Amino acid sequence: MADEMWTISRCLDWTRGYLEKKGDERSRYTAELLLTAVTGMSRVELYMNFDRPLDQDELSRMHDAVVRRAKGEPVQYITGSTGFRMIDVLCEPGVLIPRPETEVLVGEVLDYLDSQVLGGASTAARKRAALPWNGELDAASDLERALAESEAGAGTAEAGDAVAADGTCEDVATVGEGERAAAPHARVLEVGCGTGCISLSLIHEREGAVACVATDINPQAVALTERNRRALAVPEDALSVREGDLVAPVAPEEYGTFDVLVSNPPYIPHDVMAELPREVVDFEPSLALEGGVDGLMVFRRLLAAAPRMLRPGGLFACELFEESLDEAAELCRGAGMDDVRVVFDLTRRPRIVVARTPL
């Protein structure tokens, strides 16, 4: 067996069949992810190099990975990372794995920040996709601008000013693209950060416009968020990671300064924990999963803290168990919160409650 040649194609097919027999419902996709982690290739590169043999070190690491997956261990713990919205984050046993539902939570926060805090400036902060035709578009825009300026003639604008695309004037000598993007500044408090995926996504997708404080009671989660911050080159002044219970690490002078309090807290009701898939209940930390008898134990504490943490009109956004959302919404209304809404996830299940502190 050791002398046989194992190509990427052969290894992929064998792994898919083996994991399928072990109950992996997405065995082909799992096999691809394990092979990308072992070889350092992308999924596309795997299919472009089907005939490439795996060396002994790759075969050994692939064997270990398949054994771990066959025992039910989550793929993200085996590969050590996962994709979340527009970023990749490091994952490790002992810290909750990011889920697609939480991507919807980030989207709700971004919508609020764009409309209520950042205004139109958030558009300038978004990263531009590197597309092959961007250069052509830029050249065409420059030509149109030059023609327009030529027709308008000299002296139509003050010296040192430039007319922006929206018709406003900007001082070229003093205002740069980075400064325009960074001018509005939103403050976000994330409670229970885990990998840090929420805060890091907000900062990444609104670069220069959002600063976050992220807390977690689990020191391993705090350390992992710090590693992800460094891996994504996020400066410390954009993300402050603190260890402690819920909002305990927030300094008194920071009370009332946050535009958003966002959390994906432990929310699985106690009786439902036994019904979770084996790869969740046997491998992911119960501290980050179980939310008490009704799943709202931590949520109630967050709701009580929200008015102290948020500025007037600030957003409270929380991901919860699908059967708890109606009660959570009523608790928000009972606490005097405004604009209470329940948001559905990608599978059309109620998943997020959002509310605002009174103005």
Side-chain angles (χ1 to χ4, degrees):
M1 182 84 170
D3 295 332
E4 295 181 36
M5 179 180 292
W6 283 82
T7 63
I8 285 175
S9 177
R10 183 184 179 190
C11 188
L12 187 64
D13 290 340
W14 185 91
T15 303
R16 178 201 58 76
Y18 180 75
L19 292 180
E20 186 176 23
K21 293 176 184 177
K22 292 294 183 179
D24 190 327
E25 296 178 354
R26 304 178 69 193
S27 58
R28 180 79 179 189
Y29 181 59
T30 299
E32 292 171 353
L33 292 180
L34 296 181
L35 267 173
T36 59
V38 166
T39 63
M41 295 181 174
S42 68
R43 291 171 65 201
V44 172
E45 289 172 330
L46 290 180
Y47 284 89
M48 295 174 64
N49 293 274
F50 259 1
D51 295 331
R52 175 169 100 61
L54 299 176
D55 62 33
Q56 281 303 121
D57 179 62
E58 290 171 331
L59 280 173
S60 177
R61 288 189 289 124
M62 188 64 183
H63 174 268
D64 292 342
V66 171
V67 169
R68 290 171 65 182
R69 180 57 189 152
K71 292 179 180 179
E73 186 171 351
V75 176
Q76 296 90 337
Y77 287 161
I78 300 171
T79 62
S81 66
T82 192
F84 185 86
R85 288 182 65 93
M86 297 171 64
I87 61 175
D88 289 324
V89 292
L90 302 173
C91 297
E92 65 183 25
V95 180
L96 190 71
I97 298 168
R99 302 282 199 293
E101 295 86 350
T102 309
E103 296 187 4
V104 178
L105 178 64
V106 171
E108 285 295 316
V109 173
L110 288 173
D111 287 346
Y112 168 80
L113 292 178
D114 287 347
S115 63
Q116 302 298 321
V117 182
L118 301 177
S122 64
T123 303
R126 297 176 188 171
K127 288 180 177 290
R128 188 187 193 196
L131 300 174
W133 50 84
N134 279 349
E136 298 176 17
L137 294 175
D138 289 343
S141 296
D142 290 343
L143 179 59
E144 290 177 3
R145 189 179 301 110
L147 289 172
E149 290 174 354
S150 176
E151 291 173 0
T156 56
E158 293 292 330
D161 286 353
V163 179
D166 61 358
T168 60
C169 288
E170 297 169 332
D171 186 346
V172 175
T174 59
V175 181
E177 287 297 325
E179 292 171 299
R180 284 200 296 273
H185 215 69
R187 281 178 54 80
V188 175
L189 172 61
E190 180 191 0
V191 177
C193 57
T195 61
C197 60
I198 294 176
S199 289
L200 291 166
S201 287
L202 295 173
I203 293 167
H204 177 83
E205 295 186 43
R206 299 296 181 270
E207 185 177 2
V210 176
C212 297
V213 172
T215 75
D216 204 298
I217 196 171
N218 179 3
Q220 186 179 354
V222 170
L224 183 57
T225 295
E226 275 288 353
R227 285 171 55 203
N228 278 319
R229 181 189 65 77
R230 292 192 295 271
L232 291 166
V234 171
E236 290 185 69
D237 60 356
L239 176 58
S240 173
V241 190
R242 308 174 189 178
E243 181 183 340
D245 185 26
L246 300 186
V247 300
V250 179
E253 58 269 24
E254 296 176 296
Y255 289 6
T257 65
F258 295 100
D259 298 289
V260 176
L261 192 166
V262 60
S263 182
N264 175 21
Y267 62 66
I268 305 298
H270 177 77
D271 291 345
V272 178
M273 287 289 294
E275 302 173 11
L276 295 178
R278 180 166 65 97
E279 70 176 65
V280 175
V281 73
D282 287 354
F283 291 94
E284 296 198 65
S286 59
L287 179 67
L289 292 168
E290 185 172 345
V293 175
D294 61 358
L296 296 173
M297 178 179 67
V298 177
F299 172 79
R300 289 185 176 89
R301 295 178 60 197
L302 290 171
L303 178 58
R308 299 199 315 275
M309 299 296 111
L310 294 169
R311 63 167 179 78
L315 182 75
F316 175 55
C318 210
E319 180 181 328
L320 295 169
F321 182 61
E322 60 195 74
E323 296 179 13
S324 302
L325 268 299
D326 287 342
E327 183 177 355
E330 284 305 310
L331 289 171
C332 288
R333 294 185 185 99
M337 302 288 276
D338 293 336
D339 300 329
V340 180
R341 289 188 298 116
V342 171
V343 179
F344 289 76
D345 64 21
L346 299 174
T347 63
R348 299 305 301 160
R349 292 185 175 93
R351 183 62 59 193
I352 297 162
V353 64
V354 293
R356 294 173 60 179
T357 51
L359 291 171

